[in-house]
Amino acid sequence: MSTIVSSPRSKSGAKKKTEWVPIVLITIAIGFLALIIYIPAINVFYQAFRKGMGPFLANIRQPNFITAVRLTIALAAISVPLNTIFGLCAAWALARKQFRGRTLLLSIIDLPFAISPVVAGLMLVLLYGRNGWFGPALQAADIKIIFAFPGMVLATMFVSLPFVAREVIPVLEEIGPEQEEAASTLGASNWQTFWRVTLPSIRWGLLYGLILTNARAMGEFGAVSVVSGNLAGKTQSLPLFVEEEYKQYATESAYSAAVLLALLAVVTLVVKEIMQRKTRVQDEQE
């Protein structure tokens, strides 16, 4: 019976090949991220500040820019809480209850992921526009949805709707209903069960859902562009302002607004990190 014994040289060669694989993969990943994210982001900051702080500050003091910032924050301030409440309710119902039409409801929640934002805006126009299904009734009541702030809110809510539900549903399914049932058996009310049992268990999923919802609400362009009319100083959010300034060859102003959008994203990530650390400290103390 013969025994095959690998030589030390062949083992060493195989080990060297194995060691090179992670290095090559990491290099590819870093190169890819550099081309797609890092270099474009750095270029935006360079273009915004290449003539110094003076032009940058002058750009962000423009009345249209300030209005765009206020509109963007207002859109996020309305759409994020409403989508969070909806997402929590939908996630709990889908994770805890089995009912007819459950799969259809899940598909409907995922619809904003699949459909083009421009088509989403067009859908709203066909419903709430002057010639839409609800157009005559809205005109009779002197309510303007399309080409006004309410239409922008609806479009923002549509595109940012699924994130909270989609982040919380897997967490609820994983933890199961046992802890909630035990709390109810011990006499806890529905609110007490949610606040002291359910919410601590889903906090990370909820937090990621909030971050994604906020990021999408502040950065949405397509749907808001269709329903807003893109009127400078009136219905122009920050992403629309960037696009309009760039088209008008006001590139420094466009880059300044892009920098602010990037900083808003950074603030969101910093808040998330602070909340993570605080919660981790509380868990360790308990």
Side-chain angles (χ1 to χ4, degrees):
M1 183 176 177
S2 62
T3 304
I4 300 173
V5 180
S6 57
S7 65
R9 183 175 295 178
S10 63
K11 283 185 178 178
S12 175
K15 189 177 179 182
K16 283 184 179 177
K17 286 181 181 177
T18 307
E19 288 175 350
W20 275 103
V21 172
I23 296 172
V24 171
L25 292 176
I26 291 170
T27 305
I28 293 172
I30 292 174
F32 184 79
L33 289 174
L35 288 173
I36 301 299
I37 298 177
Y38 299 150
I39 294 175
I42 292 170
N43 186 44
V44 167
F45 279 82
Y46 169 74
Q47 295 292 342
F49 292 103
R50 68 190 175 104
K51 292 186 179 178
M53 285 295 292
F56 175 79
L57 294 175
N59 288 326
I60 64 174
R61 286 173 186 155
Q62 295 179 57
N64 289 345
F65 179 88
I66 294 172
T67 303
V69 173
R70 286 175 179 168
L71 263 179
T72 304
I73 293 173
L75 290 172
I78 295 172
S79 59
V80 172
L82 291 177
N83 277 343
T84 301
I85 294 171
F86 167 79
L88 284 173
C89 295
W92 187 87
L94 289 165
R96 293 286 181 263
K97 304 294 180 185
Q98 296 294 329
F99 53 90
R100 185 176 294 179
R102 182 178 179 275
T103 306
L104 177 63
L105 182 57
L106 264 173
S107 302
I108 293 173
I109 289 175
D110 288 340
L111 192 63
F113 284 140
I115 198 167
S116 164
V118 175
V119 176
L122 185 61
M123 289 162 56
L124 294 175
V125 171
L126 293 175
L127 273 182
Y128 302 105
R130 180 176 295 178
N131 298 318
W133 288 5
F134 305 137
L138 291 171
Q139 276 188 304
D142 196 22
I143 298 174
K144 192 173 183 180
I145 302 291
I146 302 301
F147 303 140
F149 184 70
M152 299 172 70
V153 172
L154 288 175
T156 305
M157 287 181 62
F158 182 93
V159 297
S160 60
L161 182 143
F163 293 104
V164 170
R166 267 303 173 188
E167 291 293 331
V168 173
I169 287 173
V171 182
L172 281 173
E173 289 177 340
E174 185 180 351
I175 62 176
E178 290 79 10
Q179 294 181 17
E180 296 169 358
E181 291 173 354
S184 299
T185 304
L186 293 172
S189 64
N190 291 334
W191 173 250
Q192 288 173 324
T193 302
F194 171 76
W195 188 253
R196 296 186 177 181
V197 178
T198 308
L199 188 59
S201 302
I202 65 171
R203 60 184 184 279
W204 294 124
L206 177 60
L207 180 59
Y208 286 123
L210 279 169
I211 290 170
L212 293 173
T213 303
N214 184 61
R216 185 64 190 269
M218 285 192 170
E220 174 54 26
F221 176 83
V224 173
S225 175
V226 173
V227 301
S228 69
N230 196 8
L231 301 175
K234 293 182 179 178
T235 60
Q236 195 175 65
S237 63
L238 210 46
L240 302 184
F241 178 86
V242 173
E243 193 253 359
E244 185 64 25
E245 292 297 290
Y246 190 78
K247 280 167 57 178
Q248 300 299 327
Y249 300 102
T251 52
E252 289 178 6
S253 178
Y255 284 126
S256 300
V259 164
L260 188 65
L261 274 174
L263 290 177
L264 288 173
V266 171
V267 168
T268 303
L269 293 175
V270 170
V271 170
K272 173 210 135 193
E273 184 63 26
I274 292 172
M275 290 178 68
Q276 274 185 329
R277 290 189 178 184
K278 282 188 175 180
T279 308
R280 198 176 300 132
V281 170
Q282 287 176 356
D283 290 344
E284 290 173 357
Q285 290 175 346
E286 291 172 0

